[in-house]
Amino acid sequence: VIGKSGINIRSVQDRTGAHIQIPQSHDEGNPSIRTCSITHPNIEGANMAKAFVEDILRNKFGRNENEVSLEVVIPDKDVGMII
């Protein structure tokens, strides 16, 4: 999901204005998953970024109080496709 040299994640962030964070390691309760966070000033932008991330998975390829954050569950083995 990260992409070579971060190309996929940067593309999603540039196209949507969202900030996407992917943890360094898998979720504590599930070693095959990493939950990433998507932050955007509005829900529409956050959902658009989430849709792009989900599309990448389908194809296998300073926060303030007004921002919206969403979480996307990414299989640990696919996290490299996003960044």
Side-chain angles (χ1 to χ4, degrees):
V1 173
I2 295 167
K4 186 174 182 176
S5 300
I7 193 165
N8 290 342
I9 197 80
R10 277 196 311 276
S11 175
V12 171
Q13 291 179 130
D14 290 346
R15 290 166 67 183
T16 65
H19 178 71
I20 302 171
Q21 289 186 289
I22 299 174
Q24 294 290 328
S25 62
H26 59 77
D27 290 5
E28 188 173 318
N30 188 342
S32 66
I33 297 290
R34 293 191 202 188
T35 302
C36 75
S37 296
I38 298 174
T39 304
H40 194 279
N42 61 59
I43 191 71
E44 292 84 7
N47 279 326
M48 182 185 296
K50 180 180 178 184
F52 279 126
V53 169
E54 291 170 337
D55 189 51
I56 291 169
L57 288 171
R58 270 193 301 278
N59 294 317
K60 290 290 183 184
F61 293 114
R63 189 173 148 182
N64 69 46
E65 62 190 49
N66 296 321
E67 292 180 327
V68 177
S69 290
L70 299 176
E71 293 185 347
V72 179
V73 176
I74 300 173
D76 188 56
K77 65 179 181 59
D78 294 329
V79 75
M81 293 169 42
I82 286 288
I83 294 175

